[in-house]
């Protein structure tokens, strides 16, 4: 390809740009936020406006971390050198279920850092590639010709900006330019307007599925306390009397700080005051969170965020689609954030794009093979998170066939993971997107889980 254009400088967009850099002479990343002006190229602590959840705690699962280290050798080590924390599940990662700590099993590495810090390091590595450039502008739509997308319409924010190379347009306030594109990747997030842009071009838009979960969470930063905190990362899951879940997570991050998150559903959503945040930590049955509330010094006020629903767009169900266009990241699917699947899903979508491009597809054909690959990624993540959300008493929606039995078997595996190291490792492989969710339903795993739960009862 001569030029590929990525819509959105999100983590999904940056990883797509990394993949495209090996297949196109030029890769342009169109990003609405003025990243150069915000100084967010490296070590930034403040999230950019286009990532409203950037203040919240994020998790980089093992599947995503491995892909990042593959595309950017030494990336994990670079984060740690800059102040992030890396911990193995066999030592510094503690997971609690109803206040009881799961048996430690190694082999899965987790990185704890703030989202702006991680994204800034990733952005710097991507933009260091010779053929990748950032274009500041707002995407307005797509240009179609001959059954394919061959350009991107965008508006430049600065009246004095130079005309973008290849656009052929003069500068002007709010002027709309067109970037020629051999392949366009929509990575504009869960609020993507791709459906509208397709409809404007006479193409069908993908159906948008939503699952209302009404999740609310708050994140707070603390100065790192001295001593008494052997966990580098900790997570606690408890069940309320009405069946709803409450989640707490904490981790060491750059700047000698702790970051902590507490989450709940419906009217159990946390408020934004420091006192309420500390109270929820003190009420948590896991000792790590009580110690945090007692020993650590808060930095500023907690910041809240609300996730009303899970979403997915089923491109694979369309009967027509233009060539030269794909979607990645939250534009494909946006999951319940408490499972931490977002960044790693974006990395796996980029891996699907790499596999698709390696087949040297015809530029005249829609990217159906790509959407077939990403469907498997989305289906598996959806099964892990969205189907678990259907267990919550306030979540409405059709339950798939066999839902009750699958839920009970899943609960059996979760309970067994507290004491059985083999079951716990298999559980971790699924939660870190290293293995499909269906592997937990294998007879050998279920029999071992049943035996472990019987021993717990004894």
């Amino acid at each position: 390809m001569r030029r590929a254009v990525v819509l959105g400088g999100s983590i999904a967009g940056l990883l797509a740009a990394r993949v495209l850099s090996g297949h196109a002479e030029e890769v342009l990343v169109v990003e609405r936020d003025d990243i150069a002006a915000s100084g967010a190229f490296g070590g930034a602590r403040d999230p950019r406006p286009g990532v409203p959840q950037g203040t919240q705690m994020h998790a980089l699962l093992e599947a995503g971390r491995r892909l990042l280290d593959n595309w950017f050798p030494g990336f994990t080590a670079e984060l740690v050198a800059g102040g992030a924390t890396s911990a193995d599940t066999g030592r510094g990662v503690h997971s609690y279920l109803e206040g009881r700590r799961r048996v430690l099993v190694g082999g899965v590495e987790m990185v704890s850092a703030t989202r702006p810090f991680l994204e800034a390091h990733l952005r710097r590595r991507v933009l260091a590639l010779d053929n990748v450039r950032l274009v500041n502008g707002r995407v307005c739509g797509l240009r179609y010709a001959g059954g394919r997308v061959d350009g991107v319409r965008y508006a430049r924010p600065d009246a004095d900006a130079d005309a973008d190379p290849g656009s052929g347009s003069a500068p002007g306030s709010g002027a709309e330019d067109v970037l020629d594109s051999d392949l366009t990747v929509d990575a504009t997030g869960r609020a993507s307007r791709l459906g509208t842009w397709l409809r404007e071009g006479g193409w069908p838009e993908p159906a948008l599925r939503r699952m209302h979960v009404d999740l609310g969470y708050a994140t707070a930063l603390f100065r790192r306390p001295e001593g008494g905190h052997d966990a580098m990362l900790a997570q606690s899951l408890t069940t309320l009397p009405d069946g709803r879940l409450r989640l707490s997570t904490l981790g060491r991050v750059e700047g000698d700080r702790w970051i902590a998150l507490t989450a709940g559903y419906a009217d159990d959503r946390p408020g934004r005051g420091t006192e309420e945040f500390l109270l929820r930590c003190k009420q948590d049955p896991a000792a790590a969170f009580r110690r945090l509330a007692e020993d650590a010094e808060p930095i500023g006020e907690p910041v809240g965020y609300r996730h009303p629903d899970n979403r997915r767009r089923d491109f694979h169900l369309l009967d027509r689609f233009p060539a030269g266009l794909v979607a990645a990241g939250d534009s494909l699917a946006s999951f319940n954030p408490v499972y931490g699947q977002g960044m790693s899903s974006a990395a796996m979508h980029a891996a699907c794009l790499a596999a698709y491009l390696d087949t040297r597809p015809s530029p005249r054909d829609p990217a159906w093979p790509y959407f077939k690959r990403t469907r498997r990624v989305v289906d598996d993540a959806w099964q892990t998170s969205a189907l678990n959300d259907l267990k919550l008493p306030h979540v409405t929606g059709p339950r798939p066939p066999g839902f009750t039995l699958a839920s009970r078997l899943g609960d059996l595996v979760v309970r067994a993971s507290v004491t059985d190291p083999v079951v716990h490792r298999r559980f971790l492989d699924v939660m870190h997107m290293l293995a499909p969710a269906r592997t937990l339903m294998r007879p050998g795993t279920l029999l071992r889980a049943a035996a472990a739960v019987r021993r717990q009862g004894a």
Side-chain angles (χ1 to χ4, degrees):
M1 294 177 285
R2 190 178 71 83
R3 176 189 284 170
V5 177
V6 179
L7 313 183
S10 62
I11 287 182
L14 292 171
L15 292 176
R18 168 62 183 88
V19 168
L20 290 165
S21 68
H23 296 270
E25 296 175 15
E26 180 183 36
V27 181
L28 301 181
V29 180
V30 183
E31 169 53 48
R32 185 170 185 172
D33 290 339
D34 190 353
I35 294 171
S38 67
F41 276 96
R45 289 194 176 188
D46 296 327
R48 54 188 179 86
V51 188
Q53 76 279 20
T55 55
Q56 303 299 316
M57 187 172 186
H58 282 66
L60 180 58
L61 304 182
E62 177 71 330
R65 190 196 66 79
R66 291 182 185 180
L67 287 169
L68 286 170
D69 267 0
N70 178 60
W71 287 319
F72 306 99
F75 187 75
T76 297
E78 177 184 315
L79 293 177
V80 173
T85 297
S86 176
D88 187 274
T89 52
R91 297 186 300 275
V93 181
H94 295 177
S95 175
Y96 299 84
L97 180 66
E98 310 297 347
R100 189 175 181 184
R101 196 178 82 179
R102 284 186 169 96
V103 59
L104 295 177
V105 291
V108 176
E109 185 177 354
M110 294 191 68
V111 175
S112 178
T114 64
R115 166 67 180 261
F117 178 86
L118 190 150
E119 187 175 300
H121 279 265
L122 178 59
R123 184 183 303 112
R124 186 172 63 245
R125 293 290 293 266
V126 172
L127 296 181
L129 300 169
D130 291 339
N131 60 340
V132 178
R133 289 198 301 111
L134 193 67
V135 176
N136 185 208
R138 175 177 55 85
V139 179
C140 302
L142 305 175
R143 186 181 69 186
Y144 301 90
R148 58 175 286 107
V149 171
D150 73 343
V152 174
R153 298 175 11 241
Y154 81 107
R156 291 171 289 117
D158 189 346
D160 298 322
D162 293 332
D164 190 82
S167 68
S169 298
S173 178
E176 187 174 299
D177 289 338
V178 178
L179 296 169
D180 296 335
S181 177
D182 296 311
L183 179 62
T184 300
V185 179
D186 174 37
T188 55
R190 59 185 269 121
S192 168
R193 299 185 63 240
L194 183 56
T196 300
W197 298 334
L198 287 167
R199 189 173 64 249
E200 290 173 350
W203 296 89
E205 57 182 305
L208 175 61
R209 269 198 270 173
R210 299 190 186 207
M211 178 185 293
H212 181 73
V213 294
D214 196 12
L215 170 73
Y217 50 103
T219 294
L221 289 167
F222 297 83
R223 288 185 177 86
R224 185 179 294 179
E226 296 294 335
H229 293 264
D230 54 343
M232 297 180 183
L233 283 158
Q235 183 182 71
S236 174
L237 186 67
T238 56
T239 306
L240 300 180
D242 65 358
R244 284 179 297 177
L245 302 177
R246 182 180 286 189
L247 178 84
S248 300
T249 307
L250 65 86
R252 299 181 187 182
V253 296
E254 72 280 359
D256 291 326
R257 299 172 296 168
W258 284 91
I259 189 169
L261 174 146
T262 181
Y265 294 90
D267 57 7
D268 187 52
R269 297 191 304 270
R272 300 190 179 188
T274 300
E275 289 187 8
E276 180 183 343
F277 190 95
L278 294 175
L279 178 61
R280 288 176 78 104
C281 290
K282 291 176 182 178
Q283 292 172 341
D284 197 289
F289 296 91
R290 297 197 301 272
R291 289 199 300 267
L292 180 77
E294 294 167 357
D295 302 338
E297 178 186 353
I299 303 174
E301 292 289 315
V303 180
Y305 185 76
R306 188 173 181 182
H307 176 83
D309 54 31
N310 307 325
R311 302 179 183 182
R312 64 179 293 177
R313 293 175 174 88
D314 292 322
F315 290 89
H316 63 280
L317 297 180
L318 295 174
D319 57 359
R320 293 191 306 122
F321 197 74
L325 177 66
V326 297
D330 284 358
S331 297
L332 275 174
S334 171
F335 310 102
N336 186 330
V338 302
Y339 296 94
Q341 298 168 312
M343 293 191 292
S344 294
S345 287
M348 296 175 77
H349 298 165
C352 291
L353 180 61
Y356 166 67
L357 294 175
D358 284 343
T359 65
R360 302 181 65 83
S362 168
R364 296 181 297 274
D365 296 333
W368 296 125
Y370 166 79
F371 287 115
K372 182 178 180 180
R373 292 176 185 271
T374 55
R375 179 191 175 185
R376 291 195 290 267
V377 175
V378 171
D379 281 350
D380 202 61
W382 191 265
Q383 181 177 350
T384 301
S385 60
L387 291 186
N388 275 321
D389 290 336
L390 286 173
K391 300 177 186 177
L392 300 171
H394 71 286
V395 174
T396 60
R399 270 64 174 173
F403 171 77
T404 300
L405 176 60
S407 295
R408 290 177 178 173
L409 294 176
D411 290 342
L412 179 73
V413 172
V414 171
R415 289 175 58 192
S417 69
V418 175
T419 55
D420 188 289
V422 174
V423 175
H424 188 197
R425 179 53 200 267
R426 293 173 184 173
F427 175 77
L428 283 175
D429 284 345
V430 170
M431 297 308 295
H432 282 264
M433 306 183 77
L434 298 172
R438 64 178 181 273
T439 60
L440 294 181
M441 295 293 106
R442 290 174 176 168
T445 299
L446 293 175
L447 289 172
R448 188 179 183 101
V453 170
R454 282 197 299 272
R455 288 194 295 271
Q456 291 173 6

